[in-house]
Amino acid sequence: METPRYYVPAKSHWPIFGAVAVFLTIYSMASIIHQSSQGQVGFFPVALAIVAGLLMLYMLFGWFGEVVNEGLRGLNSDQLKRSFRISMGWFIFSEVMFFAGFFGALFYARTLAVPWLGGEGAKGVSNILWEGFLPHWPLLKTPDMQQFPGAMSTIDAWKLPFVNTVILIISSLTLTLAHHCLRAKDKSGTLMWLVVTLILGVAFMCVQIYEYSHAINDLNLTMSSGIYGSTFFLLTGFHGAHVTLGGIMIFVMYWRVKNDHFTPDDHFGFEAAAWYWHFVDVVWLLLFTFVYVI
Amino acid sequence: MSEHSSDHHGPEKGLLRWVYTTNHKDIGTMYLLFALVALLVGGTMAFVIRAELFQPGLQLVDPNFFNQMTTMHGLIMVFGAIMPAFVGLANWLVPMMVGAPDMALPRINNWSFWLLPFAFGMLFCTLFMDGGAPNFGWTFYAPLSTDYAPPSVTFFIFSVHMMGISSIMGAVNVIVTIFNMRAPGMTFMKMPLFVWTWLITAFLLIAVMPVLAGVVTMMLMDIHFGTSFFNAAGGGDPVMFQHVFWFFGHPEVYIMILPAFGVVSHIISTFSRKPLFGYTSMVWATASIAVLSFIVWAHHMFTVGMPLVGELFFMYSTMLIAVPTGVKVFNWVTTMFKGSMTFETPMLFAIAFVVLFTIGGLSGLMLAIAPADFQYHDTYFVVAHFHYVLVPGALFSILAAVYYWLPKWCGRMYNESLGKWHFWMSFIGVNITFFPMHFVGLAGMPRRIPDYALQFAEFNAIVSVGAFIFGLSQLIFIYNLWKTVVKKEGEAATDKVWDKPEGLEWDIPSPAPYHTFQEPPVVK
Amino acid sequence: MTRMGISAVSAFLLLTSSLSAFAEWGLNLPEGVTRISQEVHSLHMTIFYICVVIAVIVFGVMLYSIIYHRKSRGAQAANFHESTVVEIIWTIIPLVILVVMAIPATSTLIDMYDNTEAEIDIQITGYQWKWRYTYVKEEVDFFSNLSTPQDEIDNKAEKNENYLLEVDNPLVIPVNTKVRFLMTAEDVIHSWWVPELSVKKDTIPGFINEAWTKVDKVGIYRGQCTELCGKGHGFMPIVVKVVEQDEYQAWVTEQAKIQAAAREIKDMSYEELMAQGEKVYSTNCAACHKPDGSGMPPIFPALKDSKIALGDINDHLDVVVNGKKGTAMAAYGSQLSVSDIAAVVTYERNAWGNKKGDFATPKQVKSFKENK
Ligand code: HEA
Ligand code: HEA
Ligand code: CUA
Ligand SMILES: [Cu+2]
């Protein structure tokens, strides 16, 4: 078979569908948040959110389904496959920068803002506004304990968070094993390792949810317990969201392996999901180091 | 199924063509039209600002609405006019310049576009919400934009998220197209400069748009979820907002100028009938500007009370940017030197670009000197600086590009004498508008105020008159476009259009067929 | 150079000399009245002239080519397009120029950051939309509000010479004395700028920025807030009155006395309360709640017919004394004296058709504050 040309779809209704779905999702989320801070949330935004969510799902399945189908029909030239790889790489880079902003905030707060407020460093005079405030990290006693009532203590890094670190590292390994099996045409091995990865992912999330409830209920560590709680929940929260997304990707890969979508040397969808998973893993390692340990 | 015959289909009929399209030329056109509408909307807001500032005293709008106008004007011009216009140009030109059949990811491309009308629709609607539109400046410093913001801020945040998705996807598409879709023989160092500058711009976009998304997310959490990122009472810092914002914001201003550098390089070389001087150094200079742009952000924050070392670091690094930018200016001038120049409308705009951008750049350099910036900061001197680099800078380059490539796009020559009228009116108008701002700024007029002390009155009146001259001259442009594109007046353009222009896009017929380079051309 | 070229360059020179003419009209940076401001001014002029020279050279060459290398004059295009030597030269020369600029800039900056050895410390606090000056070592602490009448702003009266640049209580400092400013803000970020002192510093809520000045010349110097801080941003000017040393001492003593008197609690009649209340209301509250109490709903609530202004007086006192966290409604307990609070609350309950009939006394406010 001659190599197909670069495939340019004639037209597609998915993009506009996607734009509408994203808009409705975002609009309904904004409305819900907006109304909840104004008092109570009306029926309309909630209903809209549900509709929008369904539309999103339909769009994702439809659009990705179409792309998958084109791949299966052999429309994708090597060049197009390369396009997919490059785009996924840059997409992950954009995610890296998203987290970089948050880590930047964390470092700024702990190395500059908190010491200044506590009377240390170049802007230490600021302390006259917060008499009695002592800088330390993690920050448990905030400058204004009435507005931001601090936390009793932080989570011990070497207990459950460490377990979670191990879980995620192992999950990266099992995902790599699945990849090896895929390349060795060992379908049942691939499936098994994917399931193991997925279970580890779910386990991670369960531990994380347990940790959250422990933090909120027992340690009084919440988003409003000052800058430590803020950065803690921001970073771990967005990380958790990414684990969830990665988990969904792996689940889809499970389904696609099952349906023989991949060949040993043509399985970019699988690799993309794996890259994403490893990226999420690396974020966790940084998080573990800078949020929990140090 | 029709998808198989991607070779033979022409444009679909009717409106749905635009909605479902995956064609880079259609999408480019939509981006450009969107930008034009945004320019009119943002410009109308500038008219409101200038009308209020025509004389001292409050006459037309109340201060709160004035702040909404300033904010929306900045946001719409930056995110709605300039950036989409450049993305539109990239869509039209990058595939034709590298010899590709289309953008690498055509459906994503359409999606990126269609997110924009929704994002801006939502932003625009905040004007009609209780409490009004965002009124905290396009830089939305916390806590004015968090604890003290109107309720519409939530919608503002989410609309920024949508613009972010759109820009990131658009930028990924450009990068992949350039990396992966070049015709055989089109090595990196043979790429046209517009492609090079866009490649680097796309990199900047992917690197900083997520940071913008991050900072608005932190705002959202401070407003609604009780966090204290930007609140000292919880151990945060309002200035932290500014650091994260400007980490995005400074590269953002280069996002708005690097593609302009590309455009101008093409036009000056064509109308000087001489190859561009110093192609290689142009590429390196662009890359250096991009790299430096990541380490200069706090020059917007010299007065926030940074420690001395920080102040010095950001002063020196900012000054350094003058070096690569200077290389570009010198290369353009040398390209003109000993050329055989003619002065069609695109060339006029390009020459005005070089002169007026340089003036803006030089005032930028003055701003970079920290102790002097203590006096300039947040005055009209800054407003003068950035309008010089944005209006006769970015906007003029876009106008130049439209005149230059329009015959290729639609197959007809625009009306040259209308083009000249447009140029001269704009050139005069823009200078009357923005030059006196330097003086009022130095004399002490702060920016973002609806009313001012009496000693600024004369110059503000002049500025307002200039603004109306400049704004209304844009109607000539629209009329010219209308005549050329819709009425199809004007002679048919030749394939080359100009006298020996360089680049693959001039080898294909005018108007460019719906599909080009289905078979990649071979580049020697 | 040819004649055209010369005339082009001289046109530019003309332009620059006209710029220095503008300077005399007050359209350039003022030289100011401190050593720092003069250093900054000369730095400004230096970099300005360097920029002008660069512009003249660059635009001169351009103009030359535009005139002589045009096709209509029969110019033939040359074909050179690369020269590493030239590129290196025009990388190095700008670098050298930059270093030349950076040296004086650095030394001035270091000077500006030297906050040591100040004789007087003044804390400056930005509020929406007024300034507060607290003399750290004296018993002097007051607010400084815009004093331009609303009618002038609304074009109903002739604007006076210091339109928008005048305040009720200026900052007073002695001449030839190093004064350190400790800058902060209560609500949002403001920025305190007096061009002739060359001091501009943002006031960040929760943090303190330092700055200093030492003024050489007695006089009145005016400035404005230079950070967007909401709708009153254009209306919070700064006036600094620089006086002789002994005059300053006398002023401080007198102020301390006046302020101590104001803190004293005395009984006031309903009429007195209403009269004082109207004044307090129009300087402090009218910006948001409007002179007629109609506010700007939904963000700034109306006080006319408001549930709080017509309800239990303790709730009313609570809002005014403690403010509402997270909104623009500040805690006035720390800004106004007890008699001012009593007066304004009384006024709000009985003005604009509000007919509550009751009133708050200074004593009542005092005990309310103490019980909190
Ligand atoms: C297209 C957009 C654009 C571009 C290209 C630039 C370019 C530059 N800008 Fe500007 N800038 C803005 C858009 C832009 N800016 C905006 C929007 C703001 C305000 C944001 C806000 O607050 O709302 C701003 C504000 C701003 C500030 C903050 C001012 C303040 O708020 O106090 C500063 C300070 O350093 C600055 C500096 C510079 C510098 C040094 C350059 C340099 O890149 C310029 C380099 C060019 C030259 C120097 C000229 C050509 C060179 C030569 C001819 C060589 C020889 C020259 C020498 C050796 C001197 N800019
Ligand atoms: C990015 C590009 C960009 C562009 C192109 C412009 C264009 C203009 N800008 Fe502005 N401007 C900004 C970016 C831009 N601006 C930014 C970022 C700010 C800072 C905001 C902030 O402080 O937060 C700012 C702020 C700003 C201010 C300061 C406001 C303040 O501090 O309070 C002023 C004041 O004069 C101003 C004026 C103008 C004028 C007169 C134009 C003119 O060039 C506009 C010309 C007008 C048109 C081109 C439109 C023509 C319209 C018609 C002919 C009517 C037809 C109408 C319909 C069909 C509906 N701009
Ligand atoms: Cu206070 Cu602007
Ligand atoms: Cu910048």
Side-chain angles (χ1 to χ4, degrees):
Chain A
M1 181 181 133
E2 77 175 300
T3 24
R5 286 208 181 121
Y6 200 87
Y7 173 66
V8 179
K11 60 172 187 179
S12 170
H13 60 280
W14 292 118
I16 185 72
F17 207 103
V20 173
V22 169
F23 169 67
L24 292 180
T25 311
I26 279 188
Y27 176 75
S28 57
M29 268 160 56
S31 304
I32 289 175
I33 294 178
H34 170 74
Q35 293 192 354
S36 68
S37 67
Q38 303 258 307
Q40 90 276 35
V41 180
F43 167 75
F44 175 71
V46 178
L48 190 66
I50 295 170
V51 174
L54 292 175
L55 278 177
M56 274 299 262
L57 277 181
Y58 179 70
M59 183 273 287
L60 286 172
F61 275 94
W63 191 338
F64 280 112
E66 193 169 302
V67 175
V68 167
N69 266 323
E70 286 158 10
L72 295 176
R73 294 215 316 277
L75 292 172
N76 296 358
S77 58
D78 287 345
Q79 196 186 9
L80 182 62
K81 288 175 192 155
R82 218 158 45 234
S83 285
F84 286 152
R85 302 180 88 82
I86 303 174
S87 350
M88 188 65 193
W90 285 101
F91 172 69
I92 290 181
F93 174 61
S94 80
E95 293 268 35
V96 169
M97 292 308 294
F98 184 66
F99 278 98
F102 293 158
F103 275 105
L106 171 71
F107 294 138
Y108 182 90
R110 65 183 288 175
T111 56
L112 297 173
V114 170
W116 285 342
L117 289 169
E120 291 170 2
K123 288 173 78 172
V125 267
S126 303
N127 191 241
I128 57 177
L129 298 171
W130 309 105
E131 255 169 74
F133 171 68
L134 293 172
H136 39 69
W137 193 269
L139 181 77
L140 299 177
K141 289 241 166 1
T142 64
D144 180 348
M145 287 296 280
Q146 276 194 328
Q147 211 184 338
F148 297 101
M152 259 123 66
S153 78
T154 54
I155 291 172
D156 184 353
W158 298 107
K159 290 194 176 141
L160 281 178
F162 180 68
V163 173
N164 249 350
T165 311
V166 175
I167 290 181
L168 268 197
I169 292 176
I170 295 179
S171 79
S172 259
L173 290 176
T174 55
L175 189 58
T176 309
L177 287 175
H179 194 188
H180 278 293
C181 292
L182 181 63
R183 277 204 275 197
K185 288 197 183 157
D186 174 2
K187 184 172 167 185
S188 62
T190 315
L191 289 175
M192 183 193 68
W193 288 120
L194 278 177
V195 171
V196 173
T197 310
L198 208 53
I199 291 176
L200 289 169
V202 172
F204 174 88
M205 286 307 290
C206 291
V207 173
Q208 195 70 351
I209 290 168
Y210 171 79
E211 284 277 36
Y212 274 12
S213 86
H214 172 59
I216 294 168
N217 297 326
D218 306 335
L219 306 177
N220 198 26
L221 176 61
T222 66
M223 283 201 267
S224 39
S225 46
I227 191 69
Y228 181 78
S230 302
T231 49
F232 174 82
F233 281 99
L234 180 77
L235 280 161
T236 56
F238 273 100
H239 177 262
H242 282 73
V243 173
T244 312
L245 192 63
I248 295 173
M249 287 186 189
I250 288 180
F251 180 76
V252 172
M253 291 314 131
Y254 175 84
W255 177 82
R256 291 190 63 185
V257 171
K258 210 161 173 169
N259 287 286
D260 297 316
H261 283 180
F262 298 131
T263 66
D265 44 34
D266 183 8
H267 47 260
F268 175 65
F270 187 98
E271 285 172 309
W275 291 355
Y276 196 79
W277 192 258
H278 294 316
F279 150 72
V280 172
D281 208 9
V282 172
V283 172
W284 175 263
L285 289 179
L286 290 175
L287 242 163
F288 180 67
T289 316
F290 293 113
V291 177
Y292 289 94
V293 178
I294 309 182
Chain B
M1 266 193 153
S2 68
E3 301 147 41
H4 283 288
S5 51
S6 63
D7 314 356
H8 304 299
H9 63 80
E12 191 85 20
K13 296 273 172 313
L15 269 185
L16 282 182
R17 158 186 177 183
W18 301 98
V19 177
Y20 289 158
T21 187
T22 49
N23 181 287
H24 71 102
K25 301 189 179 80
D26 284 353
I27 297 174
T29 305
M30 290 196 294
Y31 265 113
L32 287 168
L33 282 176
F34 180 87
L36 185 61
V37 173
L39 181 74
L40 292 182
V41 176
T44 308
M45 290 170 175
F47 282 173
V48 176
I49 297 174
R50 284 320 322 172
E52 175 60 52
L53 292 176
F54 181 60
Q55 283 186 342
L58 293 178
Q59 33 264 329
L60 293 172
V61 296
D62 89 296
N64 196 33
F65 188 73
F66 181 89
N67 289 345
Q68 296 175 29
M69 285 293 109
T70 300
T71 308
M72 295 290 270
H73 163 72
L75 288 170
I76 289 178
M77 286 301 198
V78 168
F79 294 102
I82 303 295
M83 287 171 67
F86 279 129
V87 181
L89 291 176
N91 258 294
W92 257 103
L93 297 173
V94 167
M96 296 200 316
M97 287 179 163
V98 300
D102 205 299
M103 295 291 276
L105 309 164
R107 279 173 290 216
I108 298 272
N109 197 16
N110 191 23
W111 187 49
S112 306
F113 170 76
W114 278 105
L115 284 172
L116 281 185
F118 290 106
F120 279 90
M122 190 155 90
L123 183 64
F124 193 78
C125 286
T126 57
L127 274 170
F128 308 103
M129 290 180 61
D130 273 353
N135 56 5
F136 30 63
W138 86 283
T139 51
F140 49 102
Y141 284 3
L144 189 63
S145 64
T146 54
D147 289 350
Y148 296 83
S152 60
V153 63
T154 311
F155 292 92
F156 157 78
I157 288 172
F158 279 100
S159 103
V160 170
H161 275 305
M162 278 182 82
M163 293 171 205
I165 301 174
S166 162
S167 297
I168 292 170
M169 289 305 162
V172 168
N173 222 332
V174 172
I175 289 204
V176 181
T177 307
I178 297 173
F179 274 172
N180 196 31
M181 308 279 287
R182 277 169 291 128
M186 174 71 76
T187 57
F188 272 104
M189 289 319 273
K190 277 191 192 154
M191 276 186 344
L193 264 181
F194 180 73
V195 179
W196 255 116
T197 50
W198 240 111
L199 176 65
I200 292 167
T201 304
F203 165 73
L204 288 180
L205 275 168
I206 300 179
V208 300
M209 287 310 281
V211 178
L212 175 68
V215 76
V216 292
T217 305
M218 288 192 264
M219 265 172 72
L220 184 78
M221 295 179 68
D222 264 14
I223 297 171
H224 294 293
F225 305 136
T227 53
S228 55
F229 294 109
F230 310 131
N231 191 338
D237 185 351
V239 173
M240 180 165 95
F241 171 90
Q242 299 181 25
H243 282 290
V244 189
F245 176 84
W246 286 115
F247 183 83
F248 146 81
H250 186 80
E252 166 69 22
V253 307
Y254 291 126
I255 288 167
M256 293 189 281
I257 206 68
L258 294 184
F261 291 165
V263 166
V264 167
S265 304
H266 287 248
I267 293 176
I268 288 189
S269 148
T270 296
F271 295 100
S272 303
R273 292 171 180 73
K274 209 167 138 248
L276 182 72
F277 187 83
Y279 171 89
T280 322
S281 64
M282 284 296 212
V283 172
W284 282 106
T286 314
S288 324
I289 294 174
V291 171
L292 283 174
S293 77
F294 286 105
I295 54 163
V296 301
W297 74 86
H299 63 218
H300 297 271
M301 305 163 53
F302 282 140
T303 63
V304 298
M306 272 183 294
L308 182 61
V309 270
E311 207 93 350
L312 288 172
F313 172 80
F314 287 110
M315 172 167 90
Y316 299 148
S317 60
T318 304
M319 292 171 74
L320 274 184
I321 294 197
V323 175
T325 319
V327 168
K328 307 205 77 132
V329 172
F330 301 142
N331 281 339
W332 290 322
V333 173
T334 315
T335 305
M336 290 187 229
F337 191 74
K338 287 206 188 299
S340 165
M341 280 194 270
T342 51
F343 302 93
E344 287 85 346
T345 312
M347 182 62 162
L348 290 174
F349 274 108
I351 291 176
F353 172 95
V354 177
V355 175
L356 301 181
F357 169 79
T358 302
I359 293 179
L362 293 171
S363 65
L365 191 78
M366 295 174 72
L367 292 168
I369 311 289
D373 182 68
F374 281 24
Q375 293 283 44
Y376 311 141
H377 176 68
D378 260 341
T379 66
Y380 264 77
F381 192 78
V382 177
V383 179
H385 156 66
F386 69 73
H387 281 95
Y388 259 87
V389 283
L390 283 169
V391 183
L395 185 60
F396 270 25
S397 84
I398 292 164
L399 296 172
V402 170
Y403 281 113
Y404 184 56
W405 278 289
L406 189 69
K408 176 56 64 187
W409 297 340
C410 76
R412 305 246 153 219
M413 290 308 281
Y414 60 86
N415 182 321
E416 186 65 49
S417 58
L418 277 179
K420 291 234 160 72
W421 270 101
H422 175 214
F423 170 74
W424 284 109
M425 295 289 290
S426 298
F427 182 79
I428 294 166
V430 98
N431 284 297
I432 300 180
T433 313
F434 298 116
F435 207 73
M437 285 186 183
H438 292 107
F439 301 132
V440 279
L442 292 175
M445 176 164 162
R447 59 191 282 210
R448 295 166 168 172
I449 55 174
D451 191 5
Y452 47 83
L454 298 181
Q455 73 259 36
F456 311 125
E458 287 80 8
F459 275 97
N460 268 293
I462 297 174
V463 167
S464 291
V465 170
F468 281 88
I469 297 178
F470 177 74
L472 294 177
S473 337
Q474 306 317 308
L475 295 177
I476 307 176
F477 172 61
I478 293 170
Y479 177 61
N480 205 352
L481 281 182
W482 171 263
K483 270 169 66 104
T484 317
V485 181
V486 182
K487 289 282 179 201
K488 302 203 187 331
E489 291 170 21
E491 60 194 284
T494 59
D495 292 356
K496 285 280 175 205
V497 182
W498 312 109
D499 200 11
K500 302 207 206 83
E502 277 218 42
L504 290 177
E505 76 269 32
W506 308 108
D507 293 344
I508 54 179
S510 297
Y514 198 57
H515 291 287
T516 38
F517 301 126
Q518 302 264 317
E519 298 296 341
V522 177
V523 182
K524 308 131 277 166
Chain C
M1 210 188 284
T2 55
R3 247 185 46 222
M4 281 299 263
I6 291 172
S7 58
V9 171
S10 48
F12 274 107
L13 291 180
L14 209 71
L15 184 77
T16 28
S17 55
S18 66
L19 286 191
S20 27
F22 281 142
E24 280 147 36
W25 299 358
L27 286 162
N28 192 357
L29 272 189
E31 269 186 55
V33 289
T34 67
R35 182 171 54 82
I36 292 287
S37 76
Q38 276 142 18
E39 271 178 40
V40 169
H41 181 264
S42 77
L43 186 62
H44 159 73
M45 292 318 288
T46 315
I47 53 183
F48 171 69
Y49 284 123
I50 292 178
C51 286
V52 170
V53 170
I54 293 172
V56 168
I57 295 171
V58 173
F59 303 156
V61 175
M62 241 176 102
L63 204 66
Y64 179 82
S65 329
I66 288 174
I67 292 166
Y68 291 102
H69 304 148
R70 49 169 64 217
K71 196 172 172 214
S72 55
R73 279 187 149 227
Q76 294 292 313
N79 196 30
F80 59 86
H81 56 87
E82 204 114 61
S83 163
T84 315
V85 179
V86 178
E87 302 278 359
I88 290 174
I89 292 175
W90 65 42
T91 307
I92 305 271
I93 293 179
L95 257 177
V96 173
I97 299 176
L98 292 178
V99 173
V100 169
M101 292 182 177
I103 292 168
T106 306
S107 80
T108 306
L109 193 67
I110 291 174
D111 234 8
M112 290 171 118
Y113 264 73
D114 175 18
N115 299 307
T116 53
E117 291 170 16
E119 290 170 47
I120 299 177
D121 282 353
I122 301 176
Q123 182 175 329
I124 299 179
T125 313
Y127 286 77
Q128 277 181 328
W129 292 287
K130 59 191 168 220
W131 296 99
R132 178 182 199 161
Y133 300 114
T134 312
Y135 291 66
V136 175
K137 290 176 212 130
E138 327 280 348
E139 287 284 292
V140 177
D141 177 2
F142 59 91
F143 283 89
S144 176
N145 289 287
L146 175 74
S147 64
T148 300
Q150 188 65 34
D151 278 354
E152 289 187 19
I153 296 172
D154 292 336
N155 303 314
K156 288 179 196 144
E158 182 91 16
K159 297 182 181 11
N160 80 77
E161 179 193 7
N162 291 320
Y163 177 68
L164 293 188
L165 295 177
E166 49 194 344
V167 298
D168 49 4
N169 305 306
L171 174 71
V172 179
I173 55 171
V175 73
N176 287 327
T177 312
K178 187 162 178 177
V179 180
R180 183 171 72 139
F181 299 125
L182 300 167
M183 311 230 188
T184 185
E186 184 65 21
D187 32 48
V188 301
I189 302 178
H190 304 263
S191 186
W192 195 87
W193 181 35
V194 178
E196 308 219 61
L197 311 189
S198 198
V199 173
K200 182 187 284 157
K201 210 54 156 204
D202 294 0
T203 63
I204 314 285
F207 286 82
I208 287 195
N209 276 333
E210 291 170 89
W212 65 272
T213 193
K214 187 173 173 189
V215 186
D216 300 336
K217 229 172 94 189
V218 168
I220 292 182
Y221 307 107
R222 296 168 198 276
Q224 275 174 277
C225 175
T226 43
E227 181 63 62
L228 178 60
C229 52
K231 68 188 171 55
H233 165 57
F235 306 93
M236 52 184 294
I238 295 148
V239 179
V240 180
K241 198 168 149 197
V242 180
V243 298
E244 296 294 349
Q245 301 270 359
D246 43 353
E247 198 180 331
Y248 171 75
Q249 284 311 333
W251 177 83
V252 167
T253 328
E254 193 199 325
Q255 280 299 308
K257 241 188 253 152
I258 297 178
Q259 295 195 7
R263 276 193 296 274
E264 242 167 58
I265 306 228
K266 49 183 188 298
D267 284 326
M268 292 167 81
S269 71
Y270 174 77
E271 283 70 31
E272 277 172 330
L273 284 168
M274 282 301 277
Q276 186 176 339
E278 184 167 7
K279 273 219 304 263
V280 175
Y281 184 84
S282 68
T283 34
N284 291 290
C285 325
C288 296
H289 296 292
K290 285 281 155 100
D292 60 356
S294 60
M296 281 178 267
I299 302 186
F300 305 109
L303 300 178
K304 183 173 154 53
D305 300 330
S306 113
K307 282 209 188 73
I308 293 196
L310 295 173
D312 182 26
I313 195 159
N314 281 321
D315 293 342
H316 193 164
L317 281 172
D318 184 46
V319 180
V320 179
V321 171
N322 299 315
K324 280 261 174 83
K325 271 260 149 64
T327 73
M329 182 63 203
Y332 282 92
S334 61
Q335 300 185 27
L336 299 177
S337 68
V338 286
S339 60
D340 281 347
I341 290 179
V344 78
V345 167
T346 306
Y347 179 72
E348 283 175 356
R349 297 174 85 75
N350 297 293
W352 333 290
N354 279 0
K355 290 221 173 60
K356 187 64 182 168
D358 60 354
F359 59 98
T361 62
K363 280 214 187 78
Q364 201 179 343
V365 176
K366 183 158 180 272
S367 68
F368 178 86
K369 280 174 85 171
E370 277 159 4
N371 290 340
K372 259 285 155 173

